[in-house]
Amino acid sequence: MLRLTNVDTFYGPSQVLNNVTLEVNKGEIVCLLGANAAGKTTTMKTIFGIVRPRTGSIEFEDKRIDGRLPGDIVRLGMALVPEARRIFPRMSVLENLEMGAFIRNNKTEIEQDIEHVCEIFPRIKERLKQIAGTMSGGEQQMLAMGRALMSRPRMICMDEPSMGLSPILVQTVFDTIKRVRDEGVTIFLVEQNASMALSLADRGYVLQTGQIVLSDSANNLLTNDLVRQAYLGGA
């Protein structure tokens, strides 16, 4: 569904991504692992047109999307759960969900999808009228995921969904990611919690200083010496 080929991304004169090539197939959960400042968030921003690649190509369902605006990419069928949630803090929970459906017009279907999000996240159902910025970090993460689902995407990209959450909420988030995949949505996941990500994913890539240095099945990456030493606390 998603393919990056030889992508180079710069911030001014500084190169952040160097010849990045990766792909995500329909129905998969694929994770991108890496330390802080490895280029993971830049990869997400490049996919969604927030940052333009200087060279290389990005395709979604065989359509070139590098050079397109973020809203156009959402209309094609991809959604983003950004790093640090990025909800609209002064709007209500319900208004945040409605913003996720900005590309849609069928009010009946939108209402049905709000009900579906509330079924996935019961806490959201209890807080529809609450100002989103007053919710806990875990609740805001659920809202960010629910907002992404409101565009009815065929693929969701998630940037550090477990960041700053308690272990119990981390498990809830990853259980939800699996459920969303089982409902037919492909997942591309950027995550520092390598153990949790690889336990859920089908395949994974390891990014170091802007370059892909490893790619393999999730099971093989869990036992890889480099991954164990760098990300899993192995000796």
Side-chain angles (χ1 to χ4, degrees), residues 33-36 38 191-195 198 205-208 213-214 225-234:
L33 307 176
N36 283 332
E191 183 56 61
Q192 275 193 310
N193 189 332
S195 178
L198 290 173
Y205 295 87
V206 177
L207 191 67
Q208 285 187 352
V213 295
L214 273 176
D225 287 341
L226 173 63
V227 175
R228 288 174 59 86
Q229 291 172 14
Y231 305 110
L232 301 176

Side-chain angles (χ1 to χ4, degrees), residues 9-228:
T9 299
F10 289 73
Y11 292 129
S14 301
Q15 185 167 6
V16 181
L17 299 184
N18 184 358
N19 200 38
V20 169
T21 296
L22 60 83
E23 63 181 33
V24 182
N25 299 312
K26 185 176 181 179
E28 286 188 314
I29 298 176
V30 174
C31 63
L32 179 65
L33 307 176
N36 283 332
K40 304 187 303 299
T41 293
T42 299
T43 301
M44 286 296 194
K45 289 180 176 180
T46 303
I47 290 169
F48 275 87
I50 299 167
V51 179
R52 300 288 177 91
R54 187 170 295 181
T55 58
S57 65
I58 305 172
E59 298 175 32
F60 176 64
E61 294 182 329
D62 297 323
K63 298 183 182 72
R64 286 283 295 266
I65 61 171
D66 48 289
R68 291 180 181 256
L69 296 172
D72 294 334
I73 293 169
V74 173
R75 288 183 178 89
L76 287 174
M78 262 205 298
L80 174 66
V81 180
E83 183 184 26
R85 274 78 83 173
R86 305 292 183 189
I87 60 162
F88 301 105
R90 297 184 181 181
M91 298 171 68
S92 72
V93 171
L94 177 59
E95 288 168 335
N96 269 266
L97 294 177
E98 291 171 339
M99 286 296 292
F102 77 98
I103 63 171
R104 302 169 56 193
N105 297 313
N106 189 312
K107 291 184 178 181
T108 300
E109 290 183 352
I110 291 171
E111 289 173 358
Q112 290 172 349
D113 286 351
I114 290 172
E115 291 179 7
H116 182 57
V117 168
C118 289
E119 190 261 323
I120 296 173
F121 301 108
R123 292 192 195 187
I124 287 181
K125 184 175 184 179
E126 299 168 3
R127 292 164 168 76
L128 286 176
K129 296 181 180 180
Q130 184 172 333
I131 298 302
T134 65
M135 297 197 302
S136 70
E139 291 164 348
Q140 290 184 23
Q141 184 62 54
M142 295 174 193
L143 177 57
M145 294 170 69
R147 181 182 61 187
L149 288 169
M150 288 299 300
S151 66
R152 287 197 174 179
R154 294 183 296 282
M155 180 174 178
I156 294 181
C157 298
M158 299 187 182
D159 192 353
E160 302 281 13
S162 74
M163 181 183 290
L165 302 185
S166 69
I168 292 175
L169 286 174
V170 169
Q171 185 63 56
T172 299
V173 165
F174 277 92
D175 288 345
T176 304
I177 291 170
K178 184 177 185 302
R179 173 175 176 169
V180 169
R181 191 277 301 271
D182 291 345
E183 291 183 355
V185 181
T186 301
I187 306 289
F188 181 47
L189 176 68
V190 162
E191 183 56 61
Q192 275 193 310
N193 189 332
S195 178
M196 288 290 290
L198 290 173
S199 69
L200 186 71
D202 300 290
R203 296 186 299 109
Y205 295 87
V206 177
L207 191 67
Q208 285 187 352
T209 58
Q211 293 181 293
I212 300 291
V213 295
L214 273 176
S215 64
D216 209 333
S217 70
N219 286 337
N220 286 345
L221 288 175
L222 275 168
T223 59
N224 181 279
D225 287 341
L226 173 63
V227 175
R228 288 174 59 86

